[in-house]
Amino acid sequence: MAAHVWPLYGLRITTPRLELRLPDLETLAGLAGVAAAGVHDAARMPFTVPWTDASPRERGRATFRHVLGTVADWSPRAWTLSLAVLHGAEVVGRQDLTASDFAVTREAETGSWLGLAHHGRGIGTEMRAAVLHLAFEGLGARWVTSAAMTDNPASFGVSRKLGYRPDGVAVAAVRGEARTLRRLRLDREGWEAHRTVPVEVEGLEPCRELFGV
């Protein structure tokens, strides 16, 4: 992909084990393959949009379309940065950072998933730490929010490690049932107090206008 046309393709966020980047078509195909192989126990649904209820082929296609759609729909007023997460040369999951009117609110939201084969290795914490560094240090965010179903202890564990605090609850209709989500909020002070993962960001300067900053 030509970063001179769409600078976000030149953005790189790295940690000791991971690299996060907007995927080119080859990497996106790998990400689709991870989604097709499964990202959570089929007995529960951690997402408000149950996209993983589909067949493996459709899960892969949904991932492929979603990431391309975030590029096509991008504007400085409303954007979703949907990053592939690589452990070495292997694609292991996806980390999103989303915002509306970020130039005014300075608030963004995280969302992510990790291939089942890569759970339980601390990768979820490291990849969220990476995108939090981008938000706070790179873009000047004041707050970053997150939310998870009440039966998703792994997500809450990541949030606690990184300094999030409770921010109320929300109710969503999922699979025809009411599900409760706990909202979480992280401010800059909390982020700075809980930073333990070294993060480096490259290629951000040409992207700033796209983020509205």
Side-chain angles (χ1 to χ4, degrees):
M1 296 293 184
H4 71 280
V5 176
W6 195 245
L8 289 168
Y9 281 109
L11 181 65
R12 296 287 185 274
I13 311 170
T14 56
T15 69
R17 294 189 295 171
L18 308 177
E19 178 181 89
L20 283 70
R21 65 175 188 249
L22 187 64
D24 58 19
L25 291 179
E26 182 179 357
T27 305
L28 184 51
L31 184 63
V34 176
V39 301
H40 63 81
D41 186 336
R44 64 181 187 85
M45 174 50 66
F47 305 120
T48 53
V49 177
W51 63 276
T52 51
D53 278 347
S55 68
R57 183 176 69 172
E58 287 305 314
R59 287 198 301 270
R61 287 179 172 178
T63 298
F64 198 89
R65 292 195 307 268
H66 168 81
V67 176
L68 293 179
T70 63
V71 175
D73 294 338
W74 189 288
S75 80
R77 288 195 60 188
W79 46 261
T80 295
L81 180 65
S82 195
L83 301 167
V85 180
L86 290 86
H87 181 234
E90 184 179 12
V91 182
V92 297
R94 197 182 87 208
Q95 177 69 62
D96 288 3
L97 185 69
T98 302
S100 296
D101 294 309
F102 182 80
V104 177
T105 67
R106 296 290 173 166
E107 178 174 302
E109 180 179 8
T110 58
S112 65
W113 56 259
L114 190 61
L116 265 175
H118 309 288
H119 288 198
R121 300 162 58 190
I123 293 175
T125 300
E126 197 165 325
M127 65 198 226
R128 186 142 26 131
V131 82
L132 289 175
H133 183 96
L134 173 67
F136 286 110
E137 186 70 20
L139 301 177
R142 295 190 183 101
W143 302 279
V144 176
T145 64
S146 183
M149 301 292 183
T150 54
D151 62 351
N152 192 347
S155 180
F156 291 123
V158 170
S159 297
R160 281 194 301 271
K161 290 177 186 177
L162 295 172
Y164 288 77
R165 295 181 178 180
D167 192 38
V169 297
V171 178
V174 181
R175 290 175 171 172
E177 298 180 355
R179 299 286 304 279
T180 302
L181 297 94
R182 290 179 181 161
R183 297 196 307 259
L184 301 157
R185 179 174 292 270
L186 179 64
D187 61 18
R188 188 177 189 89
E189 183 179 0
W191 169 69
E192 290 178 342
H194 291 81
R195 293 174 66 181
T196 59
V197 178
V199 181
E200 294 185 3
V201 178
E202 297 179 6
L204 176 59
E205 198 58 37
C207 304
R208 289 188 178 280
E209 63 175 341
L210 296 175
F211 289 106
V213 298

